[in-house]
Amino acid sequence: MYRHFGEVDAAETSPLYERVAVALSESDEALRAIEGAPARKRNPTVILAALHDLALAGRAPALAAAYAAADGDAAASAAIDTLLRMTDSVVAVAARRRTRTNETGRCAVLYPAIAEAARRVGANAVGLIDVGCSAGLNLNVDRVGITYSNGHSLGDPSSPVQQSASIVGDRPVPTQAMPEVVARVGVDLDPVDVTDADDARWLRACLSPDQPEGISRLEAEMALAATAPPLLLQGDALEVLPDAFARVPSDALPVVTSTWALSHFPLESRLRFLHRLDEAAAGRAVAWVSAEGVGVAPAIPTLGDRRASGHSIIGLAVFDGSALHAEAIGRCWSQGRMLAWLADS
């Protein structure tokens, strides 16, 4: 598993982690130390993040120095040494934490879809509810600047957080502005508070040390989120959603967002999730914007695409009383860095 991660998964994105993962795979002592972690926490992404967290915390200075120098051989040696000397600490971090991706391209998908939901309902204000929110960075979708490859832009051009996305096909992304956001609520089993030093460090630790652009984007997004922290509700989405809906003012459209979150739910739970949204729509319209793998989001058409096809479906569902209008409004790739808009404006 570690060799495959290094030679395949990390090879194109992180030469540093490629070298470290392969070195771990070749060390019997290191592999025995990793076996001290719970079975579901032994994978490379968790263990490497735990090692990175210790380096960022100043507890593994040799590893931190090797990472800072982007020295693969030194990092490999220091990672093994840290793992063997601090096995209990590495295992404790791995057991307590969940890896976080917080991909920054998601707003390029979410912004036009949320604006389209508001347009269809005629809403002048929205309340955002992000399921599987992690640190709630997606809840600042209206506070970032987004530029598309066709020259169109959305959001705040003066924002310290700027994102870009490539358009696939000849249909442009609609440019209507999102209405005022009057509530920002995140729902997660283990939400991350960017104003907490340990939580913020863990988000940094989940990125490989030799991704300076990704680290810079994350720092900017965390700083933006810290200026107006969202409300984070901890718990199972199926249990917490009613409370989340209650936090959205009655004159605003609740827009639930899920980005590659429902794949962690069994089918029965995904269907119950849909039912929760339907229940919330008994008194007012509710919208759901999703970016999920083909066939993952219930009620969202698959457009005849095959599962595991390498792209995801951007879905928009509007619940209004007893009526449900669900549509696939686009496709996206690379966690939202490329998208094809399909819906008629």
Side-chain angles (χ1 to χ4, degrees):
M1 179 169 62
Y2 276 76
R3 178 173 291 280
H4 182 274
F5 178 87
E7 295 179 346
V8 178
D9 297 333
E12 294 184 2
T13 59
S14 175
L16 201 63
Y17 272 2
E18 176 184 9
R19 182 70 188 91
V20 171
V22 170
L24 291 172
S25 78
E26 295 172 344
S27 169
D28 291 339
E29 289 181 300
L31 295 176
R32 279 195 294 271
I34 291 168
E35 286 178 351
R40 60 189 178 85
K41 296 298 186 80
R42 296 173 188 167
N43 67 76
T45 56
V46 178
I47 296 299
L48 289 172
L51 286 165
H52 194 191
D53 186 71
L54 294 176
L56 292 172
R59 299 175 61 189
L63 181 59
Y67 280 168
D71 185 331
D73 290 337
S77 175
I80 292 173
D81 179 66
T82 301
L83 179 60
L84 297 183
R85 286 190 305 103
M86 306 179 67
T87 301
D88 290 347
S89 297
V90 175
V91 168
V93 173
R96 183 169 61 91
R97 294 290 195 177
R98 294 167 53 213
T99 51
R100 308 289 181 155
T101 54
N102 291 295
E103 293 288 348
T104 57
R106 300 178 181 186
C107 290
V109 167
L110 290 175
Y111 190 111
I114 294 169
E116 177 66 12
R119 184 189 71 82
R120 294 186 180 190
V121 175
N124 295 316
V126 296
L128 303 180
I129 301 171
D130 192 28
V131 173
C133 69
S134 186
L137 302 183
N138 289 338
L139 292 165
N140 288 308
V141 57
D142 59 315
R143 303 176 67 205
V144 308
I146 306 163
T147 303
Y148 297 95
S149 58
N150 62 0
H152 291 167
S153 60
L154 290 170
D156 181 0
S158 65
S159 173
V161 177
Q162 296 293 318
Q163 300 180 4
S164 61
S166 297
I167 301 295
V168 177
D170 56 6
R171 180 167 293 186
V173 171
T175 56
Q176 70 252 26
M178 188 186 306
E180 180 186 6
V181 178
V182 295
R184 305 174 198 270
V185 185
V187 175
D188 198 284
L189 284 172
D190 184 23
V192 176
D193 179 2
V194 297
T195 65
D196 179 88
D198 289 344
D199 280 3
R201 187 181 68 244
W202 176 246
L203 288 182
R204 297 182 185 98
C206 289
L207 296 177
S208 56
D210 55 347
Q211 291 183 329
E213 290 185 2
I215 293 170
S216 295
R217 286 196 301 266
L218 176 62
E219 294 288 355
E221 289 207 349
M222 289 197 298
L224 182 65
T227 63
L231 173 64
L232 301 178
L233 301 179
Q234 182 173 8
D236 186 302
L238 299 176
E239 306 302 325
V240 176
L241 270 175
D243 185 19
F245 281 114
R247 308 301 180 104
V248 178
S250 59
D251 58 349
L253 170 69
V255 181
V256 176
T257 58
S258 68
T259 54
W260 298 282
L262 296 189
S263 58
H264 301 291
F265 291 28
L267 177 58
E268 180 185 0
S269 295
R270 281 181 268 150
L271 295 174
R272 288 181 60 207
F273 170 79
L274 197 68
H275 183 61
R276 277 281 189 247
L277 302 183
D278 188 52
E279 288 177 333
R284 58 174 168 176
V286 168
W288 170 36
V289 168
S290 59
E292 303 283 356
V294 177
V296 172
I300 301 300
T302 62
L303 305 173
D305 299 346
R306 292 189 294 179
R307 291 176 183 266
S309 55
H311 68 270
S312 299
I313 300 289
I314 307 168
L316 172 57
V318 176
F319 302 76
D320 195 355
S322 59
L324 166 61
H325 305 280
E327 182 182 346
I329 60 173
R331 296 184 177 94
C332 64
W333 296 258
S334 300
Q335 302 283 295
R337 291 183 178 85
M338 299 171 58
L339 70 132
W341 192 262
L342 302 176
D344 294 321
S345 297

